[in-house]
Amino acid sequence: MVDARQAAYLQALGVDVYVPRSAPPLQAEPPLHAEAVVESTPSPDVAANLDWNELRAAVAACQRCELHLTRTQTVFGVGNPQAHWMFIGEAPGAEEDKQGEPFVGRAGQLLTSMIRALGLRREDVFIANVLKCRPPDNRDPKASEVASCRDFLERQVALVNPKLVIAVGRIAAQSLLATETPIAKLRGKVHSFGAQAWPVVVTYHPAYLLRSPGEKRKSWQDLLHARQLFSRLEQESASGGRS
Ligand code: SF4
């Protein structure tokens, strides 16, 4: 059920408050960018034992890939470091590079609306990106860059230890899950990421939703799926599962 506050945020999202009894079959979606990326390569895995402050410092000083040459600053992530929900996007854009915070600007506002539609506040969750530095001209991340940055992300997820990870957008999903499967086929399922097999669900990037507002209903279906899964995970946790 959707309460009045969530209905208001859904309105901001541009989603009519109507939930079909069964979701329509998933359609093949066009890629977010023309160029499909991402293959999995081993990460250097030197971040595995760092604490939060050490990890933040290591990211800020990182020169592992060429993106350090063009960044204004690294974008580590924002939010509650003990969050139960973690949202992971692709990489900083121009505004994020300038402000040092992920998901700012119009796409960030839409992500905040999506978070609120879940009944959460932006500061309740943790928001990060697969890459901590901006690819020039907002080009897609290279597989080598994703591999270089991967242990930072894995350590970040390990330290937050969320109950649920939301992969935001095609590139984040494909990078996290080390697959080239189209996003339409990744949605609506439960995947896992990292050493502790954190549960992952996939949804569209808000920048894509801004370009394709007709897809917002599917995004709402993803959020419903995530919320139901989260409730189930909490019940399992209360009855002795992973905390
Ligand atoms: S993108 Fe990641 S690996 Fe590349 S320089 Fe930035 S922090 Fe280092």
Side-chain angles (χ1 to χ4, degrees):
M1 291 294 290
V2 177
D3 63 26
R5 185 184 55 167
Q6 287 169 340
Y9 290 123
L10 285 170
Q11 214 166 21
L13 258 174
V15 174
D16 296 332
V17 184
Y18 163 76
V19 182
R21 285 178 192 276
S22 59
L26 300 177
Q27 306 291 317
E29 296 304 327
L32 200 60
H33 306 289
E35 189 188 337
V37 208
V38 173
E39 61 196 50
S40 176
T41 49
S43 96
D45 200 25
V46 298
N49 297 314
L50 301 182
D51 68 21
W52 191 255
N53 289 335
E54 290 167 342
L55 181 65
R56 188 183 279 276
V59 167
C62 179
Q63 299 185 354
R64 280 184 198 164
C65 79
E66 65 184 4
L67 296 182
H68 82 276
L69 296 169
T70 48
R71 72 188 178 209
T72 302
Q73 58 190 312
T74 54
V75 179
F76 182 72
V78 71
N80 178 358
Q82 273 96 48
H84 289 169
W85 293 75
M86 191 160 178
F87 290 75
I88 301 177
E90 170 186 337
E95 207 46 45
E96 287 82 8
D97 175 68
K98 203 152 78 183
Q99 296 190 31
E101 180 171 332
F103 285 98
V104 295
R106 284 183 69 220
Q109 286 168 12
L110 186 51
L111 181 70
T112 301
S113 292
M114 292 162 73
I115 291 167
R116 287 176 175 164
L118 285 164
L120 302 165
R121 299 170 305 168
R122 187 174 161 108
E123 56 268 35
D124 293 332
V125 308
F126 196 85
I127 305 171
N129 282 313
V130 169
L131 290 188
K132 310 305 185 197
C133 303
R134 180 195 179 207
D137 304 318
N138 292 341
R139 65 158 170 76
D140 285 353
K142 296 178 184 171
S144 59
E145 293 160 354
V146 172
S148 296
C149 219
R150 189 173 177 94
D151 73 323
F152 290 145
L153 180 65
E154 287 203 16
R155 185 61 184 155
Q156 203 167 31
V157 176
L159 288 167
V160 174
N161 194 22
K163 287 190 192 298
L164 185 56
V165 173
I166 312 289
V168 182
R170 175 181 68 87
I171 289 177
Q174 291 178 335
S175 301
L176 281 173
L177 305 176
T179 180
E180 294 183 7
T181 303
I183 188 168
K185 292 191 174 163
L186 297 173
R187 291 178 53 241
K189 297 174 183 161
V190 184
H191 309 272
S192 67
F193 168 76
Q196 291 190 46
W198 288 276
V200 176
V201 299
V202 171
T203 192
Y204 292 112
H205 197 287
Y208 172 70
L209 296 176
L210 288 171
R211 292 196 301 273
S212 310
E215 304 291 55
K216 286 179 177 175
R217 174 166 295 286
K218 292 180 184 170
S219 151
W220 175 231
Q221 289 164 3
D222 296 337
L223 297 180
L224 281 177
H225 172 226
R227 200 170 63 180
Q228 285 160 1
L229 174 63
F230 184 83
S231 299
R232 212 168 65 228
L233 292 169
E234 280 212 305
Q235 283 166 9
E236 285 172 13
S237 171
S239 60
R242 189 171 79 87
S243 60

